């Protein structure tokens, strides 16, 4: 039986890679995002198995209208991949822009919980699954991570708490916590600084959107009695640094 995945943030990066991987594996995919032209390009590429659904995840009314208008062939959603999210800013908290903090919370937390809340009844009915894109930033503090890391820690803990609430319902929930993946993530974070993005990834052999897409598909296609609770991934070139000490 063909299964249907709804992937948020499918206009680029991990979300677009996941849309391609899931369609190639025989899934139907609903790809959501703000940029209708990018979703349409993906629809042109992937054909009838892909349904573009353009709306802003921070706009609850638009989200409801979009979900209500799903064609019948895509209405039975088996898997929600909460991928939409962003980091804005690299400055320490004391120099950060409050508006950027609020935008991250609106997308990474408010948008994610809203679509999850809306789809939970269908996912329970179909004994489906939820895969949430958290980050290594949920697990390790770093300078400039402030609210971004806080939102990703929320996503991780929300995932684990969903597991507890969904106990016995047959619904799988997974928190995926990637480290460095080369996508538009850093150009978005730096307000379009391509040189900063190139410098960050240069020579580091970072993970790719396709690496994470393959991981998402693996998690989704595991036998139904298995649940990956949390999965943290890094490129081999990325590891941990120590504490810092301020001296008088
Ligand atoms: C961001 C992960 O390692 O690029 O979610 O800061 S990292």
């Amino acid at each position: 039986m063909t299964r249907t995945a709804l992937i948020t943030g499918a206009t680029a990066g991990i979300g677009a890679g996941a849309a391609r991987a899931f369609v190639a594996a025989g899934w139907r995919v609903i790809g959501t995002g703000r940029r209708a032209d990018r979703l349409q390009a993906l629809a042109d590429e992937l054909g009838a198995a892909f349904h573009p659904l353009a709306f802003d995840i921070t706009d609850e009314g638009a989200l409801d209208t979009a979900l209500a208008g799903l064609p019948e062939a895509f209405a039975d959603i088996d898997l929600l991949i909460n991928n939409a999210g962003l980091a804005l800013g690299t400055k320490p908290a004391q120099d950060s822009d409050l508006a950027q903090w609020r935008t991250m919370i609106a997308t990474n937390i408010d948008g994610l919980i809203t679509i999850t809340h809306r789809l939970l009844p269908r996912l329970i009915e179909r004994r489906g699954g939820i895969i949430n894109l958290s980050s290594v930033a949920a697990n390790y503090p770093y300078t400039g991570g402030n609210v971004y890391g806080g939102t990703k820690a929320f996503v991780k803990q929300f995932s684990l708490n969903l597991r507890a609430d969904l106990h016995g319902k047959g619904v799988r929930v997974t928190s995926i916590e990637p480290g460095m993946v080369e996508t538009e993530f850093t150009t978005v974070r730096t307000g379009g600084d391509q040189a900063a993005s190139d410098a960050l990834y240069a020579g580091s052999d970072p993970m790719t959107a396709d690496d994470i897409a393959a991981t998402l598909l693996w998690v989704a296609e595991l036998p139904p009695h298995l649940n990956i609770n949390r999965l943290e991934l890094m490129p081999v070139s990325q590891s941990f640094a120590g504490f810092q000490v301020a001296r008088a």
Side-chain angles (χ1 to χ4, degrees), residues 87 134-137 142 148 152 178-181 185-186 189 200-201 234 238:
S134 175
S135 164
V136 292
Y142 61 85
Y148 174 68
K152 292 300 178 177
M180 201 162 64
V181 186
F185 178 83
T186 300
R189 184 172 204 166
L200 178 67
Y201 300 121
M234 284 179 171
Q238 185 179 25

Side-chain angles (χ1 to χ4, degrees), residues 158-244:
F158 180 55
S159 306
L160 297 174
N161 284 340
L162 277 173
R163 280 275 288 137
D165 285 355
L166 292 166
H167 182 76
K169 304 254 181 248
V171 177
R172 302 197 285 192
V173 186
T174 300
S175 168
I176 301 284
E177 297 151 23
M180 201 162 64
V181 186
E182 185 166 10
T183 61
E184 292 172 15
F185 178 83
T186 300
T187 43
V188 170
R189 184 172 204 166
T190 57
D193 188 342
Q194 189 60 47
S197 177
D198 292 346
L200 178 67
Y201 300 121
S204 71
D205 202 6
M207 294 187 291
T208 66
D210 288 344
D211 292 329
I212 306 303
T215 303
L216 296 171
L217 185 62
W218 173 73
V219 168
E221 296 203 327
L222 283 168
H225 65 283
L226 279 177
N227 193 94
I228 303 289
N229 296 335
R230 296 178 46 217
L231 187 57
E232 185 183 287
L233 306 94
M234 284 179 171
V236 175
S237 61
Q238 185 179 25
S239 67
F240 319 101
F243 295 113
Q244 49 190 346

